[in-house]
Amino acid sequence: MKKILLLALGACALNAANAQFKGMLEKATQQVAKKDTAKAASGNPLGKIVSAATGGSASGLSNEDIISGLKEALAVGTTNGANKLSAVDGFFKDAALKILMPAEAQKVEKTLRGMGMGKQVDQAILSMNRAAEDATKSAAPIFLNAIKGITIQDGFNILKGNETAATTFLKDRTQAQLTAAFRPVIEEALKKVDATKYWNTLFTNYNRFSAQKVNPDLTAYVTEKALFGIFTKVGEEEARIRKDPMARTSDILKKVFGK
């Protein structure tokens, strides 16, 4: 009987020790998690916002603040990006985004310039860029419509992403719609600025002297380049808002991105 009692007391003591150890382990795990959260926040311009929203610090930011700030940042970024590219020379005088001849036509371009048709080549290039600038005017409403549908979960995923995570989100949500909207606009713009005429003139003349005929889809090519340009510019605007206090032009941007 005495032996059974001793065994029972030993079991109780062991359970108590296990419970105490488990409590200490959980406490230590929580402390490590808090340190990891703080460390992540210090290395990410938006990490502090995420940490605040998940209880990492008392910043006074609500979920509504965060989503409102994110939507505002996207609205500003997309509007600024679209406005810059839709202006005259928005594409044409941007060294990084200027639309040049397609790769398969660059040999043709060199040959035509050598034949004294440099002016026509320059007109064809200018007309492609003018078409992209004209089409970009229709981008902002499509972006703004996608921004309205951002959820809290979308917001946190974007905030925890890299400096162009919001642009990537918009690209995934809008690229198909933008392509469908841009193509007819670009096709019409190419006609309006005589791009089709210049293109046809260039390649009609080239094809007279070459056994390898060139006839790429000009509208599809310019549409692709226009979309690349606008997402590049929107990404630049997003990164600027994340990093530069001067780019935060409203109270909600200052409140959210200044934390």
Side-chain angles (χ1 to χ4, degrees), residues 53-95:
T54 55
S57 67
S59 70
L61 287 174
S62 66
N63 288 346
E64 290 72 20
D65 286 333
I66 294 169
I67 297 304
S68 294
L70 180 61
K71 288 182 177 181
E72 177 77 6
L74 285 171
V76 171
T78 54
T79 300
N80 287 347
N83 286 344
K84 288 178 181 179
L85 287 178
S86 63
V88 175
D89 291 333
F91 272 91
F92 188 68
K93 289 191 176 180
D94 188 315

Side-chain angles (χ1 to χ4, degrees), residues 19 21 25 33 57 69 81 94 99 105 124 134 141 155 163 178-179 185 200 220 236 243 253:
F21 177 74
L25 182 61
S57 67
D94 188 315
I99 300 174
D134 196 42
E163 65 181 16
L178 283 169
T179 300
V185 175
N200 288 339
E236 291 174 0
K243 294 178 179 179
L253 289 180

Side-chain angles (χ1 to χ4, degrees), residues 5 15 20 25 31 33 46 50 57 64 102 115 138 177 202:
L5 181 60
N15 288 337
Q20 184 178 9
L25 182 61
Q31 289 176 345
L46 294 175
V50 177
S57 67
E64 290 72 20
M115 295 167 57
S138 63
Q177 188 179 359
L202 285 173

Side-chain angles (χ1 to χ4, degrees), residues 5-242:
L5 181 60
L6 287 173
L7 288 173
L9 289 172
C12 289
L14 183 60
N15 288 337
N18 285 339
Q20 184 178 9
F21 177 74
K22 184 178 180 182
M24 292 172 64
L25 182 61
E26 289 177 351
K27 186 176 181 180
T29 302
Q30 290 171 0
Q31 289 176 345
V32 170
K34 286 182 179 180
K35 288 181 180 179
D36 289 343
T37 300
K39 184 178 180 181
S42 64
N44 182 346
L46 294 175
K48 292 179 182 178
I49 301 173
V50 177
S51 176
T54 55
S57 67
S59 70
L61 287 174
S62 66
N63 288 346
E64 290 72 20
D65 286 333
I66 294 169
I67 297 304
S68 294
L70 180 61
K71 288 182 177 181
E72 177 77 6
L74 285 171
V76 171
T78 54
T79 300
N80 287 347
N83 286 344
K84 288 178 181 179
L85 287 178
S86 63
V88 175
D89 291 333
F91 272 91
F92 188 68
K93 289 191 176 180
D94 188 315
L97 302 179
K98 181 179 180 180
I99 300 174
L100 302 173
M101 286 288 188
E104 65 269 25
Q106 287 175 6
K107 183 179 178 181
V108 179
E109 177 184 353
K110 184 177 180 180
T111 301
L112 290 170
R113 289 187 185 277
M115 295 167 57
M117 296 183 64
K119 183 177 180 180
Q120 290 91 330
V121 172
D122 290 338
Q123 287 175 324
I125 292 173
L126 176 62
S127 65
M128 289 189 292
N129 286 273
R130 289 288 183 260
E133 291 159 6
D134 196 42
T136 302
K137 296 172 185 176
S138 63
I142 295 173
F143 281 137
L144 294 176
N145 187 56
I147 290 167
K148 291 177 184 177
I150 292 176
T151 66
I152 290 176
Q153 186 57 53
D154 292 331
F156 282 122
N157 289 338
I158 291 169
L159 288 171
K160 289 184 286 186
N162 61 27
E163 65 181 16
T164 58
T167 302
T168 300
F169 171 86
L170 282 178
K171 184 177 181 180
D172 292 341
R173 292 294 182 93
T174 63
Q175 186 160 17
Q177 188 179 359
L178 283 169
T179 300
F182 268 40
R183 185 177 174 92
V185 175
I186 284 179
E187 189 169 20
E188 187 61 32
L190 287 170
K191 292 178 182 177
K192 185 170 69 175
V193 296
D194 287 334
T196 304
K197 181 183 74 175
Y198 294 131
W199 189 263
N200 288 339
T201 298
L202 285 173
F203 292 110
T204 297
N205 281 280
Y206 177 80
N207 288 340
R208 288 176 182 172
F209 304 99
S210 176
Q212 295 181 332
K213 309 302 180 183
V214 176
N215 186 29
D217 185 339
L218 179 61
T219 301
Y221 172 73
V222 177
T223 299
E224 179 186 347
K225 289 296 183 181
L227 290 175
F228 172 80
I230 195 166
F231 283 120
T232 298
K233 191 62 69 176
V234 170
E236 291 174 0
E237 291 294 316
E238 178 190 353
R240 195 165 70 91
I241 290 172
R242 289 179 182 254

